[in-house]
Every structure is written in C-alpha cells, then in structure tokens.
Amino acid sequence: MTEEQLKLQIERMEMMCRSFQSNSERDPEFLPEFETAKSINQILQRSSNLTVDNYNDILKILKNIDLLKHYDGSGWYDYKLHLNSVLRYKEYDPVN
C-alpha cells in the first residue's frame, strides 16, 4: 500500500463514520458504531506515526463496543476491514 492508498482508506473510514451517524438518527443501534468510528478516526488523524499507545487505545475502544448492543452489520464489518488494512500498513496486528 502506498501513502496515497492509506489516505484513501482513512477517507473511506471517515465516510463510513458519517454513514453510521446518519443511520443512528433512525436506528439507535448505529450510535455505538458512530462513536467508536469517530474515536478511532480521530486517533488515526492525530498521529501520522501510530504509536503503541495509539494502537492500545484503538484496541480498548473496539473492546468496549463489543460490550454494547450495536447494529453490527456489513458497514461495521467493512469499517473493520479498512481499519485492519491501515493497521497492517502501520505494522500493527489486525483486529478481529
């Protein structure tokens, strides 16, 4: 993956976050996905060099959403695929 492709991945993750936000207005089960994606996206935007602390923060955020009832559909699956792609590029283990 190139830097340009990485930028595109993150832009798509931001688009998915907006979709979760929009969907949460009619279905509250999307709200945890919106809040989680927003938090993760902020971490990725703030840190051009992802640190171990950033990575651990992302893992904690993902662990917390697993404790909540959320929509957990194909959009969330796609978001996590994009996140894993970014993490691999940054040389971190993917998440499940």
Side-chain angles (χ1 to χ4, degrees), residues 5-6 9 20 30 50 62 81:
Q5 290 168 322
L6 173 67
Q9 291 284 58
F20 297 144
F30 281 97
L50 196 66
L62 289 171
L81 287 176

Side-chain angles (χ1 to χ4, degrees), residues 6 9-10 13 44 82-90:
L6 173 67
Q9 291 284 58
I10 292 173
M13 291 169 69
L44 295 174
H82 280 72
L83 174 60
N84 281 333
S85 179
V86 170
L87 292 176
R88 274 191 227 96
Y89 179 79
K90 302 274 188 179

Side-chain angles (χ1 to χ4, degrees), residues 10-41:
I10 292 173
E11 286 174 9
R12 288 179 181 156
M13 291 169 69
E14 292 168 357
M15 179 191 65
M16 288 180 239
C17 182
R18 289 189 299 273
S19 176
F20 297 144
Q21 181 181 24
S22 176
N23 289 336
S24 72
E25 294 170 6
R26 66 181 185 323
D27 187 342
E29 287 189 3
F30 281 97
L31 190 57
E33 293 174 6
F34 162 62
E35 292 170 344
T36 298
K38 182 179 175 185
S39 296
I40 291 171
N41 290 351

Side-chain angles (χ1 to χ4, degrees), residues 51-95:
T51 67
V52 172
D53 287 339
N54 297 142
Y55 177 70
N56 288 331
D57 288 343
I58 289 170
L59 294 180
K60 287 177 196 172
I61 292 166
L62 289 171
K63 190 173 190 174
N64 286 338
I65 195 173
D66 287 338
L67 301 174
L68 303 172
K69 183 177 179 179
H70 63 100
Y71 192 78
D72 203 17
S74 60
W76 183 243
Y77 179 78
D78 193 31
Y79 180 86
K80 291 194 303 183
L81 287 176
H82 280 72
L83 174 60
N84 281 333
S85 179
V86 170
L87 292 176
R88 274 191 227 96
Y89 179 79
K90 302 274 188 179
E91 300 180 349
Y92 287 92
D93 291 333
V95 298

